[in-house]
Amino acid sequence: MSVEATFATTEFMGEQLTFVDCPGSIEFSFEAEPVLAACDVAVVVAEADEKKIPALQLIMRKLDDLGVPRILFLNKVDKAIAGVRDTLKMLQPASSVPLLLRQIPLRKDSVVIGSIDLALERAYIYREYAESEVADIPGDDKARELEARFSMLETLADHDDQLMEQLLEEIEPPKDEIFDDLAADLREGIVTPVLIGTAEKGNGVLRLLKAIRHDAPDVEATRKRLGAPDGNQTVVQVMKTIHTAHGGKLSVSRVLSGQVADAAELFLSGGETAKVSGIYKMLGKDQSKLAIAKAGDTVALGKLDTVKTGETLSAAKGGIKPLATLAPPQPVFAFALRPKERKDEVKMSAAIQRLAEEDPSLSLRHNQDSAETVLSGHGEMHLRVVRERLEGKNQIPVEGHTPAVPYRETIRKSAQQRGRHKKQSGGHGQFGDVVIEIKPLPRGSGFQFTDTITGGVVPKTYIQSVETGIRDYLKSGPLGFPVVDVAVNLSDGSYHAVDSSDMAFQMAAKLAMKEGMAACSPVLLEPVMKVEIVTPSEATSKIIALIPQRRGQILGYDARPDWPGWDVVEATMPQAEIGDLIIELRSATAGVASYRAVFDHMAELTGRLADEAMNTSGKAA
């Protein structure tokens, strides 16, 4: 399973082609977005497996959104049980445009021995890891080939009136016109040609390469699709960022127009400048240096330190507007990280920043409540790979654990309490005396402070000190968590003309709060999230069954708009139950379900679960 985009530039039949292997898993799918924005055509590798249709649908929908032409390569055709046309009927719901079969399998004794090309009307006998042998179509397969070919031509005729007339009049259309239609319909994105083969044995791969060479749009079409400026002005789209051990930072980029020379100065969209230091042709981990990169080339540009994945560079002073916008999906899995040795803290932080540059779908935040560094991503495997890179590539041993839940506490009852801070020790002493009234507030009100002091029993200069002391106490209440939804009124007190001070009244306020809060029936609050789960319809019943197991409440479910075969399930669920939710969702849906969660409200938590929370993170810990 691919976990990152990898690049290979090579030559085929006198033309330079760059292949980018993009991950297909939903956890790593964001890797493909900046690549797809700048590529000419996508080859989607699929197989005749009904369970994988939802995953295929996710990929095809993304290509629709980006407007990228695509070819479907139906792999493992030698192991497929169903006929290829039945397979296409099964796969069609995953595609918004017709799947156009260009080849059918050639069988002998129920074993696939080759393919028949419907456009060329020619048979190809497979030879392992070698070019197929061209042959005449066997007589027994001629009728099947004619039927499949007519179906292909009918689909092409939907967008070609002349071809439609030829079919109606039973005139055999010229082969070159058929090839022109195949290329035009692919480039316009109105069909998805389907080719077949067994990649493991090299079968069907040469025909795929020839179809790419002949039918795929060129960089000019890609430039127009992205809305890049006309003319020979240099425009470069950054597809991926790589930090190498010895070569520093590399920005793998597509030159959409113009050319880039070593030491060239390019401009970011915001007007900042970036100077190229080295141009490299990529072949996996191998790189070879180039003097210049021309329109259509995909190269790695060295040491563009301020440039990020997805940005657009140009030779125009001040830059041009970005051609593509990257919007990473909401993270669905997180863990808190710390280095095993404290001396590695700065090193770990820098390494994570580099990893986040390479993978913009990672997010890093510091939780001030728990003093944790929390790394978030798109699944357990996604973050496991990040951790392996930290420990392997960067040599930083780390420890990970589930991030702390931001519990809060509040009160159920009111109380009045006096707090007196008095200390005498040579010279000026310390004296502060306050009487406070503590009351619960409705959920979501926060904290309110008032005073009803009369007669100057607490001077105005110290009332602010009392509020400061109370706010300081509220950072950690009787249960060990920040206190919310509380009102405190300063009603009485006294002071000493010499010994009273700002600090003395802060201490008196804290003492009053400490003693008074214990009498107010403190209770733990946990955050409850509103969750929206997207799932294939066939798994909806499983998803609905697991929600109550995580103390969730189902709000309802409905068909996902414009997504045939998918549902949206809405629920509320405590944040404490969401940590590993994605693992169970993906397990129930062959790896394709996802969710979005937003804070909804705070709810009281009592009993065993409250005790466990306090033992883990509160005063009891």
Side-chain angles (χ1 to χ4, degrees):
M1 185 177 78
S2 303
V3 296
E4 64 178 321
T6 50
F7 298 76
T9 297
T10 185
E11 286 201 0
F12 176 70
M13 295 182 71
E15 289 192 20
Q16 182 171 280
L17 298 176
T18 297
F19 296 91
V20 191
D21 174 30
C22 292
S25 160
I26 189 173
E27 294 196 28
F28 301 95
S29 61
F30 189 73
E31 273 275 318
E33 291 209 18
V35 173
L36 290 170
C39 76
D40 298 333
V41 67
V43 178
V44 181
V45 183
E47 54 191 88
D49 186 344
E50 196 169 10
K51 293 177 183 176
K52 295 183 179 179
I53 291 176
L56 176 63
Q57 192 173 2
L58 289 174
I59 292 169
M60 295 298 230
R61 179 58 66 103
K62 179 55 64 179
L63 294 171
D64 282 344
D65 293 344
L66 295 171
V68 178
R70 81 291 318 241
I71 294 170
L72 185 71
F73 183 78
L74 189 59
N75 196 22
K76 302 182 184 178
V77 71
D78 57 332
K79 296 175 183 174
I81 298 170
V84 70
R85 281 185 284 177
D86 289 337
T87 297
L88 249 61
K89 286 178 185 174
M90 179 179 75
L91 298 180
Q92 183 61 62
S95 176
S96 63
V97 298
L99 297 177
L100 181 75
L101 192 61
R102 280 198 55 171
Q103 298 168 327
I104 57 173
L106 186 61
R107 288 184 170 88
K108 184 177 182 181
D109 300 329
S110 300
V111 176
V112 175
I113 62 166
S115 67
I116 298 172
D117 190 296
L118 302 176
L120 286 169
E121 293 191 284
R122 195 179 292 165
Y124 292 87
I125 311 299
Y126 291 152
R127 295 187 294 180
E128 283 196 23
Y129 315 113
E131 189 172 344
S132 297
E133 179 186 334
V134 181
D136 292 329
I137 299 170
D140 294 347
D141 292 290
K142 192 64 184 171
R144 190 167 62 95
E145 183 269 337
L146 287 172
E147 183 185 350
R149 185 171 191 270
F150 187 75
S151 177
M152 178 189 77
L153 295 177
E154 273 189 317
T155 303
L156 292 175
D158 288 341
H159 306 284
D160 184 338
D161 293 341
Q162 184 178 333
L163 178 58
M164 180 65 79
E165 286 179 20
Q166 289 170 336
L167 294 181
L168 291 172
E169 295 173 14
E170 298 184 356
I171 298 171
E172 177 63 27
K175 281 192 173 64
D176 58 346
E177 289 183 14
I178 294 172
F179 277 107
D180 288 346
D181 274 354
L182 285 166
D185 288 3
L186 167 65
R187 292 169 188 179
E188 291 173 31
I190 52 182
V191 300
T192 297
V194 179
L195 289 88
I196 64 173
T198 302
E200 187 180 28
K201 300 174 181 176
N203 296 336
V205 175
L206 188 61
R207 298 306 314 158
L208 171 66
L209 289 172
K210 288 184 176 179
I212 292 170
R213 180 176 179 268
H214 182 269
D215 298 347
D218 59 11
V219 69
E220 180 68 13
T222 302
R223 188 185 63 73
K224 287 179 180 176
R225 171 169 60 81
L226 289 170
D230 293 329
N232 296 319
Q233 176 182 299
T234 298
V235 176
V236 175
Q237 186 67 20
V238 181
M239 306 163 85
K240 183 171 174 61
T241 300
I242 301 170
H243 286 276
T244 63
H246 305 294
K249 179 178 173 179
L250 294 176
S251 300
V252 185
S253 308
R254 182 90 193 275
V255 183
L256 296 174
S257 59
Q259 60 182 33
V260 179
D262 198 0
E265 190 176 70
L266 299 173
F267 293 86
L268 283 76
S269 297
E272 306 94 332
T273 59
K275 190 174 183 179
V276 176
S277 179
I279 302 174
Y280 305 92
K281 177 180 170 182
M282 306 282 288
L283 185 63
K285 291 183 178 179
D286 297 330
Q287 302 155 15
S288 51
K289 196 158 188 180
L290 302 171
I292 200 165
K294 299 174 182 176
D297 290 349
T298 300
V299 293
L301 304 177
K303 299 182 180 176
L304 301 179
D305 294 333
T306 59
V307 174
K308 296 177 182 176
T309 299
E311 290 191 322
T312 304
L313 308 175
S314 74
K317 285 198 173 181
I320 62 170
K321 70 176 184 178
L323 298 179
T325 54
L326 290 183
Q330 186 188 51
V332 294
F333 193 75
F335 57 59
L337 272 183
R338 63 169 174 258
K340 287 184 178 178
E341 298 184 30
R342 289 198 66 177
K343 66 180 179 66
D344 286 336
E345 283 184 358
V346 174
K347 190 178 173 185
M348 184 189 82
S349 178
I352 291 175
Q353 293 295 341
R354 288 194 298 272
L355 289 173
E357 264 201 282
E358 292 183 334
D359 180 359
S361 67
L362 283 175
S363 64
L364 184 70
R365 64 182 174 86
H366 183 72
N367 186 332
Q368 291 189 334
D369 283 353
S370 60
E372 293 175 331
T373 297
V374 179
L375 191 66
S376 303
H378 303 294
E380 183 192 25
M381 179 66 74
H382 185 204
L383 293 193
R384 191 189 303 170
V385 168
V386 172
R387 185 170 173 176
E388 287 172 1
R389 286 174 182 163
L390 271 176
E391 296 189 321
K393 185 177 177 181
N394 295 280
Q395 301 294 304
I396 305 169
V398 294
E399 296 173 331
H401 60 273
T402 303
V405 175
Y407 293 107
R408 296 291 183 262
E409 59 179 279
T410 192
I411 55 174
R412 289 173 172 163
K413 297 192 325 191
S414 301
Q416 186 180 68
Q417 183 66 45
R418 179 179 290 274
R420 176 176 285 189
H421 176 67
K422 186 176 181 182
K423 199 169 183 183
Q424 195 69 41
S425 57
H428 287 307
Q430 296 179 35
F431 181 83
D433 176 32
V434 299
V435 177
I436 59 172
E437 299 160 345
I438 309 169
K439 295 180 181 178
L441 288 176
R443 196 76 66 242
S445 301
F447 168 64
Q448 294 175 9
F449 175 78
T450 55
D451 78 272
T452 52
I453 294 297
T454 57
V457 291
V458 177
K460 285 186 177 181
T461 52
Y462 295 138
I463 292 175
Q464 181 66 48
S465 306
V466 173
E467 182 180 353
T468 300
I470 292 169
R471 286 185 179 274
D472 198 39
Y473 171 83
L474 293 177
K475 292 176 183 175
S476 180
L479 306 180
F481 299 94
V483 181
V484 295
D485 304 335
V486 169
V488 180
N489 179 62
L490 173 63
S491 61
D492 201 359
S494 61
Y495 75 103
H496 189 281
V498 176
D499 292 343
S500 288
S501 65
D502 171 68
M503 187 55 66
F505 272 95
Q506 285 190 38
M507 294 300 295
K510 288 181 185 177
L511 284 170
M513 288 295 293
K514 185 176 181 181
E515 294 176 17
M517 283 287 289
C520 291
S521 295
V523 62
L524 194 64
L525 297 176
E526 68 171 344
V528 176
M529 315 296 281
K530 186 174 182 182
V531 183
E532 186 181 272
I533 301 167
V534 291
T535 173
S537 302
E538 61 192 26
T540 299
S541 58
K542 293 181 189 174
I543 303 304
I544 288 172
L546 72 83
I547 288 171
Q549 297 168 15
R550 291 176 173 263
R551 298 191 288 132
Q553 288 190 320
I554 297 162
L555 302 177
Y557 71 95
D558 206 345
R560 189 179 185 186
D562 301 322
W563 278 74
W566 284 70
D567 288 335
V568 179
V569 180
E570 292 187 341
T572 56
M573 188 179 292
Q575 186 175 334
E577 301 288 343
I578 289 179
D580 61 351
L581 172 66
I582 194 64
I583 297 174
E584 200 165 359
L585 292 180
R586 298 254 166 90
S587 175
T589 60
V592 296
S594 195
Y595 74 86
R596 290 179 57 83
V598 294
F599 173 76
D600 193 69
H601 65 278
M602 300 296 286
E604 287 190 11
L605 182 65
T606 57
R608 178 181 58 83
L609 292 172
D611 292 340
E612 288 177 3
M614 286 186 282
N615 287 333
T616 303
S617 309
K619 283 273 171 74

